[in-house]
Amino acid sequence: MPAPSDAAMEEIRTLVAFDTTSRDSNLELIAHVERRLDALGIASTRIPNAEGTKANLLATIPAADGSTDGGIVLSAHTDVVPVDGQAWSSEPFAPEVRDGRLYARGSADMKSFLGVVLVQAADMVAQPLAEPIHLALSYDEEVGCVGAVDLVDELARRGGLPRGCVVGEPTSMRIVRGHKSMNVFRIDVRGVAAHSSLTPQGENAIVAAAELVRFVQSVADEMREQGPFDDGYVVPYTSVSVNRIDGGIAVNTIPAECSIHFEFRALTTVDHPALVQRFVDECARVEADMRSRFPEASVTLTTTAAAPGVDTPADAEIVALAAEWGAVPSDDKVTYGTEAGLFANAGIPTVVCGPGDIAQAHAPDEFIALDQIAACEAFVSRLVASLRA
């Protein structure tokens, strides 16, 4: 069984020791990466959030002729999900190797990929490249691919789009060409409070919200029964679900407020704007009914997170390149979302391919098998070698 290099293990340990849970800042990790790249003479650009508490990082190792056009993007997110309420056998941010596995939050998702890339950045600058390599690090992927929007915009703004991108999410080093879009919404219903013995004097926000829940479920039933379908997925249709509801203050009070949280994960063949418009129209219908009794009532639909799907053709160059670099060819499509759709929508053909298994991501005792790290090292090494001038 191949073993990872000491350098890669050291860097991965360093990265996972940064608690970059999405609710917190990632700036300490970004500063660490900047120092590593600066020591190699690699210029990088921070792309901060509006508050300045988090940042993306974009760095380019230029071609031997100085060109930064074209090339390959290696993409990784820096944030991790919380460990709250999970029973861990070891400290989640104190990496520990046991039985051929590295245990830590972010070990699989996805700091091992990032660690391998950072270590091999030294090779990227040590030899002349025929085309550039771009390193794209994002924040807040875990809460809806928030940071990568500005990151991809900056990459596109520079012109000379890269000819391919590898998003290093855990796929067990398989080439994944497709996943659904992710779309999360909140509906805030505002009615009128009243004593429960005086129901005509109030407008029940929970009752109105229940109508909306039933509508969302009816769309879910329609998608399940009528499609469209894609058998490449475990769930071969667009899934729709209501996942949280909050409302009411007491059993003897007509509730004035209720909030619903729902999502849909859509196939790329679904008319996304038309589907969203159906929810907009139903919210407007329910609001109009409430306002016919109480003009101050309202229903507000908010998109809280969204990331596009991706469906890279099997004959795309980046698919063949990933196979040449040692990734496992596959027609699998995955249920989870990634930032791949953002790159693809910007005109950069993209695949998802990285070390580790998504089954371990987000779970207590998250781990990555050491041989997966070694396989990723071999993959990135071949990628760099293929780009030599």
Side-chain angles (χ1 to χ4, degrees):
M1 184 180 300
S5 68
D6 291 342
M9 290 296 292
E10 180 180 355
E11 181 59 24
I12 294 166
R13 287 189 176 99
T14 298
L15 293 172
V16 298
F18 291 107
D19 181 352
T20 53
T21 304
S22 298
R23 64 186 171 220
D24 301 320
S25 176
N26 72 335
L27 293 183
E28 287 189 11
L29 183 148
I30 291 296
H32 163 77
V33 175
E34 287 173 326
R35 289 190 295 270
R36 280 199 65 107
L37 297 179
D38 186 62
L40 295 170
I42 301 172
S44 60
T45 301
R46 280 196 191 196
I47 306 165
N49 64 352
E51 299 76 20
T53 56
K54 302 177 183 181
N56 303 305
L57 193 71
L58 182 60
T60 297
I61 299 92
D65 63 1
S67 173
T68 57
D69 291 345
I72 300 295
V73 181
L74 299 177
S75 166
H77 65 79
T78 61
D79 60 318
V80 297
V81 297
V83 299
D84 306 31
Q86 294 185 337
W88 282 70
S89 301
S90 55
E91 289 298 320
F93 297 103
E96 185 174 306
V97 174
R98 304 192 302 271
D99 302 320
R101 299 169 172 177
L102 175 66
Y103 288 85
R105 172 59 85 225
S107 56
D109 187 16
M110 57 181 293
K111 290 180 178 177
S112 290
F113 176 81
L114 177 55
V116 167
V117 169
L118 290 177
V119 168
Q120 297 207 19
D123 290 336
M124 299 175 194
V125 299
Q127 54 193 317
L129 297 175
E131 54 187 308
I133 298 174
H134 310 274
L135 310 183
L137 282 61
S138 67
Y139 66 86
D140 280 2
E141 187 272 349
E142 298 290 7
V143 292
C145 300
V146 174
V149 174
D150 290 340
L151 178 63
V152 174
D153 284 348
E154 173 62 21
L155 190 60
R157 185 191 65 79
R158 297 181 177 188
L161 283 178
R163 65 185 176 113
C165 174
V166 177
V167 176
E169 292 275 8
T171 68
S172 300
M173 296 307 298
R174 292 176 300 120
I175 302 168
V176 169
R177 297 185 291 106
H179 64 69
K180 300 176 183 178
S181 68
M182 182 272 294
N183 312 270
V184 184
F185 303 88
R186 186 184 71 245
I187 303 175
D188 295 309
V189 182
R190 182 174 293 277
V192 176
H195 193 280
S196 61
S197 65
L198 300 168
T199 54
Q201 296 181 14
E203 183 66 26
N204 195 313
I206 289 179
V207 170
E211 287 189 60
L212 293 163
V213 170
R214 181 60 258 174
F215 178 79
V216 172
Q217 186 57 43
S218 72
V219 175
D221 295 341
E222 174 191 321
M223 293 292 175
R224 184 183 67 252
E225 295 166 3
Q226 300 178 22
F229 301 100
D230 185 336
D231 291 334
Y233 290 98
V234 174
V235 178
Y237 49 84
T238 294
S239 61
V240 187
S241 61
V242 177
N243 299 329
R244 179 178 168 185
I245 185 166
D246 305 288
I249 60 170
V251 296
N252 61 352
T253 303
I254 301 299
E257 296 182 355
C258 187
S259 295
I260 305 161
H261 302 256
F262 74 97
E263 70 163 19
F264 68 80
R265 301 204 174 223
L267 302 177
T268 56
T269 51
V270 166
D271 186 336
H272 182 278
L275 181 54
V276 173
Q277 190 61 46
R278 292 180 64 181
F279 297 117
V280 171
D281 292 345
E282 182 63 11
C283 286
R285 185 195 68 77
V286 172
E287 181 182 72
D289 179 60
M290 296 174 72
R291 286 185 170 178
S292 69
R293 294 178 293 276
F294 292 90
E296 63 268 42
S298 65
V299 178
T300 304
L301 177 67
T302 303
T303 301
T304 59
V310 64
D311 195 2
T312 300
D315 61 356
E317 180 189 32
I318 189 62
V319 176
L321 288 172
E324 289 177 13
W325 299 330
V328 180
S330 168
D331 289 326
D332 292 350
K333 298 181 179 181
V334 295
T335 55
Y336 55 89
T338 78
E339 296 166 337
L342 293 168
F343 289 97
N345 282 1
I348 306 170
T350 302
V351 294
V352 185
C353 181
D357 191 326
I358 195 64
Q360 276 76 57
H362 300 195
D365 286 346
E366 177 182 346
F367 71 83
I368 186 168
L370 299 186
D371 61 346
Q372 281 287 299
I373 299 174
C376 184
E377 287 191 275
F379 174 85
V380 177
S381 179
R382 292 189 193 100
L383 183 158
V384 176
S386 74
L387 300 181
R388 287 176 183 156

